[in-house]
Amino acid sequence: MTRPDPMSRALAARRHAAGTDYSVLLSARERPLALVERWPRDIWGTYLFDDRSWRMQMIDLTPHHTGALLVRWDTRWQFSNEQGYASGKWHVQETTTVSADGQVEVTTEFAGPREASTEERPHDRTSGPSSDPVRRFAAPVEDFLCPVPEIWGCSARASSTGLAWIPAQRHSWT
């Protein structure tokens, strides 16, 4: 993955105040932990990395009428091997979608060959693309709200983990 050169914290703060796109890369010991992107209209995207530095989860947040951010989409990927990750071919993808009033939909998709399950379920398949039935339920919307990030109040501890400010751009993750 190619990353742009970090920008200064002062420039990132000006971009934030102007409502301009930017990203914050949080890392520890030269490894990415999270990439947080801020887009116009206070839309946020967060990518979480595992200990192999693989991007394994994407969370999109949108403004909610309460002043907080609502987790609208939360997508997690599982890859069967490094080659699958490098080519962007996930083995399992689970996406949770939340509406502004707390209606939740969870979809799990499987791709490629899978081992047969020892548990009998009518929708299980052992090869080819398939999807489990979509699960829908209502939940308190408060369960999916979070405060708007206080990027500019980062503590010294957060800075010591390798906080870097980089210009926002659409990333190619292949």
Side-chain angles (χ1 to χ4, degrees), residues 25-28 31-35 47-50 161:
L25 177 64
L26 300 171
S27 62
R31 294 187 140 184
L33 301 173
L35 176 65
Y47 302 92
L48 302 178
F49 298 84
D50 69 5
T161 64

Side-chain angles (χ1 to χ4, degrees), residues 4 6 25 37 50 63 70 72-73 78 88 103 106 112 117 124 128 145 149 157:
L25 177 64
E37 299 177 325
D50 69 5
L70 173 67
R72 289 299 308 260
W73 298 278
Q78 294 177 24
Q103 296 300 310
V106 180
S117 174
D124 274 346
L145 295 178
R157 189 183 84 170

